[in-house]
Amino acid sequence: MASSLDIKAPVDGVLVALDAVPDPVFAGGTLGEGLAIDPLGDTLHAPCDGEIVHCARTAHAVTLRSTGGVELLVHLGLDTVNLDGAGIELLVEAGQWVEAGEPLLRFDADQVAQQAMSLITPLIIAEPSGWRLTSLDTQKSGETARQGEVIMRLEAPAASPNVAPESDEASPRQTQEMTRDVILALAAGLHARPTARLRAIAHEQNVDLELVHDETHIDARSLSRLMNMGLVEGDRVTLIARGKCATTALDAAERLLSEAEADEPVASAAEVPTAEAGAGQLAGLVASQGLVVGPLHHYVAALPTVPQAGDDPAHERAALGEALEKVGHSLKTALAQAKRGARSSEAEILEAHLAWLDDPALREAAEGYIDSGRSAGQAWKEALDDEAAGLQATGNKLLAARVADLRDLQRQVMACLGTAPSIPQVPAGAIVIADDLTPSELTALAAQRPAGICLVAGGTTSHVAILARARGLPCLVAMGTVLESAEGDMAILDAERGLLEPQPDIASLETMRKRIAESERARDADRESAKQPATTRDGRTIEVCANVAGGAEATLAAQDGADGIGLLRSEFLFLDRESAPSVDEQRGEYQAALDALGGKPVVVRTLDIGADKQLSYLPLPSVANPALGVRGIRLWASHAELLESQLRALLALQPLDALRIMLPMVSGVGELRALRQRLETLAGELGVSRLPQLGVMIEVPSAALCAASLAAEADFLSIGTNDLTQYTLAMDREDPGLAAQLDVLHPAVLRLIKTTVDGAAGRCPVGVCGAAAGDPLALAVLVALGVDELSVEPSRVPAVKASLRELDAGALAEQLSAWSDLDDGAMVRERLKSWLKAPVVA
């Protein structure tokens, strides 16, 4: 017998440490030791030579036994047992001998990924038979493995002298034997998860546990044999337990097998659709509201321009190698940032790109074109054109979906070997369809005046979503499917309910045009009075300012009646570039915003980078919880020169009386004092005698709780509701699975907002610049709690002012104390909706 056993990757994919698998049965090691892989292919192969000893009835799992007796469980995805075999094709059968690398099962990745919890595939040593796992490099978690690459190694058990077995009297487990008949109620049958729980029960209660069915006795310690029984819902089994705790063990095992709900997964909030698409409609998430009708236009970014013919082949090969190395470095940097930010979907895409980039066949094909006289850039283009055509020709959905990865990689490498392309022309009034857009692409597209945008990818908190809202451009994101309608087809974009309807009938078009006309009339009425103050029914005047990314949006805000700029996100000036902007470049952008507002206050937030916002030229340390790491004002400790250049640009603006400087992620008054001292020192160096106002964002609970001491030092406070909510509820705002619970109207968040307002009373004004300021329900509560100013996207200014004029803030304030004891934000919203709908008594 061989002294070691190599376990090989069953598919190309990204390695995942077992304890990082989002399933407690696998992550806790209940099923055994092992590793997992997030597949980049559609076929799982044998990880070693062996006999197939079990194939799951639902085709999602295969167990094989090596010649040394080691049993390996290959389990496609998580909760895939509930698919009942849909989208999975089993290629082997029990009793069959397979060689390492032979295919075990094939699956439709799109179908399985959409219907199961995850495609992450555990590879578990279900029965080691004395073999010892000696090589399992968990540091490789997150790295790409090729199918057939060794990812684990086991060593054979050492020979040992014969030992006489213990007598029955000596065994503590033989003191009691109990039996019980059970009708199996598990809808998916006896698969990996319940068998793992049975083994855990036996271990925890220190008993021998057997299952008997049709005179077949199986020890609960053997997972593969349990699964090989093929038990399904309705089967009768006998449980036998031996040991002092036999009754307790049988009680637990009976509950497990006879209660259907014990094996049914709970749907996450992310699986609940925001809108239900009807026939012929596609659903997405609303990133920017609006209603439009227009022709569809498929946006495809142009390729960089490269020379057709090459010079010396050796020179072109070297140029190609340098380009590949440069792109590889960029991808690895982006991958590290995605992992630091826990953006798993983005990391998976980058891993796929790196795998393509390292493919020797692609490079060989490109070098073949170089040898025939092409330039390095043209050779790379043609090589990837060929590869894309080959993938499309297979008719395999999974492979065809990889074409988008190839095109992106094609563009990146060609950009290193040619000149940047211009943004493609988009027809005015069109509904633009794209896989995704960068912020710079969105800005260039918006200048061509499309009617709306629909993105296959993206998220509602992305930079593209923020820019679309700022421009009042209706936008859906995360649509999840490529629209195949013909270019120019008429469509309806309902970015209020989150629906796109290609090729609508005449009646639908007429209905939507009436809705658009009504909406326009309401907006026109709001714009008429937008430049007037927003005074509530009970006489409170609230400033309504705008959140912008730069001078161009500040101009839009002024036109829409904003009372000032409540948040200029200066980080947009630092994104999508190779190096930080100079002092002069920053000063020009900030000055344009001041000029646009004509003396009204402009609040510039200093650089807020970290967590979900990363700069390629500003590497930050990798930490387990990046949202709790270095960001905002904490950057001063390691990148003081970057922030000082920003302060120098701000101190050069005119008039300084209109400027407000705001500090993000302040957790205590000491940080504010240190920054004010540095600002005074810089002002002295520059000969500036009058300093601009200095304020802080209230984003973390400690700042809210210490609002009184902060207000004694600050000129103003501004609540960032997005971060305050995520830090209060300990819920990552980038996690779609928590979106339904991440509510600013949660009583705990409202109490912190009230604490901030009360602490600042009589000391300094309090504003809100987070997304809640534009929420029609939340803004009413914020004003009733006592905030002085709301800052929203420019296009929302007229509507927010109109809403405030209909609000009796004092009457609502009387209700809030009773609502603070409600369970959650959903209950507060229901009470608030009912209160707002109640007739107003004159």
Side-chain angles (χ1 to χ4, degrees):
M1 182 176 68
S3 61
S4 65
L5 175 65
D6 286 343
I7 309 300
K8 301 174 181 179
V11 63
D12 288 355
V14 181
L15 296 178
V16 179
L18 202 59
D19 59 7
V21 172
D23 184 305
V25 173
F26 290 111
T30 308
L31 283 164
E33 294 181 287
L35 196 61
I37 188 165
D38 205 347
L40 298 176
D42 66 351
T43 304
L44 298 185
H45 301 78
C48 65
D49 299 346
E51 179 188 359
I52 304 297
V53 293
H54 172 63
C55 297
R57 175 184 58 83
T58 50
H60 71 287
V62 174
T63 304
L64 68 160
R65 185 188 300 123
S66 73
T67 52
V70 177
E71 292 187 2
L72 294 166
L73 169 66
V74 183
H75 193 286
L76 171 65
L78 306 177
D79 275 343
T80 41
V81 64
N82 297 292
L83 301 183
D84 201 27
I88 308 172
E89 179 188 3
L90 197 60
L91 305 176
V92 293
E93 58 185 20
Q96 179 180 340
W97 178 267
V98 294
E99 303 287 340
E102 284 192 42
L104 300 176
L105 61 86
R106 186 177 295 113
F107 58 97
D108 183 326
D110 291 335
Q111 181 177 355
V112 174
Q114 289 170 9
Q115 298 180 11
M117 178 190 295
S118 171
L119 275 177
I120 292 176
T121 294
L123 185 60
I124 304 296
I125 304 167
E127 176 52 66
S129 294
W131 290 64
R132 186 169 57 91
L133 184 61
T134 60
S135 176
L136 174 63
D137 191 354
T138 57
Q139 296 300 316
K140 288 187 176 180
S141 181
E143 295 186 5
T144 301
R146 299 280 185 157
Q147 188 266 313
E149 179 182 335
V150 176
I151 56 175
M152 293 186 287
R153 177 166 293 156
L154 292 90
E155 297 295 336
S160 57
N162 293 329
V163 178
E166 292 182 314
S167 67
D168 287 348
E169 292 75 17
S171 175
R173 295 190 178 185
Q174 302 301 322
T175 58
Q176 185 179 14
E177 178 176 304
M178 305 287 293
T179 65
R180 190 170 302 175
D181 290 338
V182 175
I183 301 296
L184 201 65
L186 305 179
L190 196 60
H191 60 99
R193 181 171 294 168
T195 56
R197 291 175 183 162
L198 281 174
R199 183 165 71 171
I201 289 169
H203 176 74
E204 291 163 4
Q205 302 302 327
N206 193 32
V207 300
D208 289 327
L209 184 62
E210 285 186 8
L211 265 73
V212 182
H213 178 67
D214 290 342
E215 300 185 357
T216 300
H217 291 243
I218 300 296
D219 191 318
R221 290 174 296 180
S222 177
L223 301 183
S224 62
R225 289 181 174 84
L226 284 175
M227 291 187 289
N228 203 31
M229 294 174 77
L231 297 175
V232 297
E233 183 179 17
D235 281 345
R236 178 184 295 275
V237 298
T238 299
L239 299 170
I240 302 175
R242 303 180 186 89
K244 292 182 178 180
C245 299
T247 301
T248 303
L250 287 178
D251 288 343
E254 182 178 17
R255 284 195 301 271
L256 170 67
L257 299 179
S258 63
E259 297 179 5
E261 64 271 17
D263 196 56
E264 293 174 359
V266 179
S268 69
E271 294 168 338
V272 181
T274 56
E276 187 170 342
Q281 295 178 326
L282 296 171
L285 300 179
V286 177
S288 179
Q289 291 191 350
L291 304 171
V292 295
V293 171
L296 293 175
H297 174 76
H298 294 266
Y299 174 87
V300 179
L303 290 173
T305 302
V306 295
Q308 288 282 325
D311 295 327
D312 175 56
H315 172 76
E316 298 296 339
R317 283 172 178 255
L320 177 61
E322 291 173 5
L324 294 174
E325 184 177 350
K326 182 177 180 179
V327 173
H329 176 75
S330 177
L331 289 174
K332 289 174 183 176
T333 300
L335 176 61
Q337 293 171 350
K339 289 179 179 177
R340 282 200 298 268
R343 303 188 298 277
S344 58
S345 296
E346 181 182 340
E348 289 169 5
I349 293 170
L350 292 167
E351 288 279 11
H353 286 194
L354 277 168
W356 281 117
L357 196 69
D358 292 337
D359 189 334
L362 285 181
R363 182 162 183 167
E364 183 180 339
E367 290 177 344
Y369 278 113
I370 286 175
D371 292 341
S372 66
R374 308 291 201 280
S375 71
Q378 182 65 20
W380 182 254
K381 176 187 181 300
E382 294 186 29
L384 269 70
D385 282 346
D386 293 344
E387 185 72 11
L391 292 178
Q392 293 280 21
T394 63
N396 183 304
K397 282 187 175 181
L398 179 66
L399 295 179
R402 296 285 181 249
V403 171
D405 292 328
L406 275 178
R407 294 301 186 194
D408 194 5
L409 199 59
Q410 184 182 51
R411 185 174 295 106
Q412 291 182 63
V413 174
M414 289 176 68
C416 299
L417 298 164
T419 57
S422 59
I423 295 294
Q425 290 298 304
V426 172
I431 298 174
V432 176
I433 307 296
D435 288 336
D436 205 353
L437 295 172
T438 65
S440 59
E441 285 177 319
L442 186 281
T443 301
L445 283 177
Q448 301 183 51
R449 300 189 179 279
I453 292 177
C454 294
L455 302 180
V456 173
T460 57
T461 61
S462 69
H463 295 142
V464 168
I466 291 171
L467 292 171
R469 287 194 294 270
R471 288 159 172 75
L473 185 61
C475 179
L476 297 186
V477 297
M479 300 193 69
T481 184
V482 178
L483 191 65
E484 297 180 353
S485 294
E487 182 77 11
D489 278 355
M490 191 60 67
I492 290 173
L493 172 57
D494 184 343
E496 290 182 354
R497 295 191 298 149
L499 296 171
L500 176 69
E501 183 177 356
Q503 299 179 326
D505 57 31
I506 295 175
S508 297
L509 282 171
E510 185 61 27
T511 300
M512 178 53 69
R513 287 187 172 118
K514 287 180 180 179
R515 286 181 62 191
I516 292 172
E518 291 170 1
S519 180
E520 279 295 330
R521 283 193 291 271
R523 277 200 297 270
D524 289 343
D526 291 344
R527 289 193 190 102
E528 285 289 326
S529 57
K531 295 187 184 297
Q532 302 302 315
T535 303
T536 65
R537 294 173 63 88
D538 56 325
R540 284 186 58 200
T541 298
I542 307 298
E543 286 191 355
V544 180
C545 299
N547 298 335
V548 302
E553 289 183 12
T555 299
L556 296 175
Q559 294 170 355
D560 283 326
D563 297 323
I565 300 300
L567 169 63
L568 191 154
R569 302 181 179 94
S570 67
E571 60 268 16
F572 277 98
L573 189 56
F574 290 74
L575 296 169
D576 286 336
R577 53 190 301 150
E578 296 298 322
S579 60
S582 66
V583 171
D584 287 343
E585 190 176 354
Q586 293 183 62
R587 183 191 58 77
E589 192 66 38
Y590 306 146
Q591 187 64 55
L594 261 69
D595 293 344
L597 270 294
K600 293 179 180 179
V602 173
V603 177
V604 178
R605 180 175 67 188
T606 56
L607 187 60
D608 186 16
I609 291 297
D612 60 318
K613 291 173 286 190
Q614 300 283 340
L615 303 177
S616 60
Y617 53 88
L618 184 66
L620 296 177
S622 179
V623 294
N625 296 298
L628 304 180
V630 176
R631 58 171 295 200
I633 197 170
R634 300 170 186 173
L635 282 168
W636 272 88
S638 55
H639 296 84
E641 73 293 341
L642 191 63
L643 294 175
E644 285 194 10
S645 71
Q646 189 170 32
L647 294 181
R648 290 179 183 275
L650 292 169
L651 289 172
L653 302 181
Q654 295 294 332
L656 278 178
D657 286 348
L659 175 65
R660 312 282 189 269
I661 299 176
M662 184 163 66
L663 310 177
M665 285 300 291
V666 171
S667 56
V669 71
E671 295 166 320
L672 172 60
R673 288 174 181 155
L675 193 286
R676 186 180 291 279
Q677 182 177 9
R678 184 57 191 153
L679 186 64
E680 291 172 350
T681 300
L682 281 174
E685 294 174 3
L686 297 171
V688 175
S689 58
R690 186 177 178 86
L691 291 178
Q693 289 190 21
L694 185 63
V696 300
M697 292 193 73
I698 304 297
E699 300 171 277
V700 297
S702 65
L705 295 171
C706 298
S709 58
L710 283 168
E713 298 273 348
D715 296 309
F716 64 94
L717 304 180
S718 185
I719 302 172
T721 52
N722 299 357
D723 276 321
L724 183 61
T725 303
Q726 82 161 341
Y727 291 128
T728 302
L729 302 182
M731 294 180 181
D732 188 345
R733 64 185 179 130
E734 295 297 310
D735 187 340
L738 299 174
Q741 304 170 62
L742 197 71
D743 194 340
V744 69
L745 294 186
H746 190 288
V749 182
L750 296 181
R751 290 177 189 176
L752 286 177
I753 293 173
K754 180 61 174 171
T755 298
T756 302
V757 172
D758 291 346
R763 294 180 174 89
C764 71
V766 178
V768 174
C769 61
D775 181 330
L777 290 178
L779 70 85
V781 174
L782 294 171
V783 172
L785 287 172
V787 302
D788 306 292
E789 173 248 328
L790 300 173
S791 192
V792 300
E793 307 305 329
S795 62
R796 290 281 297 146
V797 169
V800 169
K801 284 192 171 184
S803 178
L804 289 173
R805 295 186 186 109
E806 298 298 319
L807 176 67
D808 187 334
L812 178 56
E814 294 175 2
Q815 305 293 318
L816 293 181
S817 59
W819 297 352
S820 65
D821 293 327
L822 295 175
D823 293 349
D824 53 33
M827 294 184 69
V828 174
R829 285 186 181 274
E830 287 304 314
R831 294 287 183 90
L832 181 58
K833 287 177 183 177
S834 299
W835 186 87
L836 290 173
K837 288 179 181 178
V840 177
V841 179

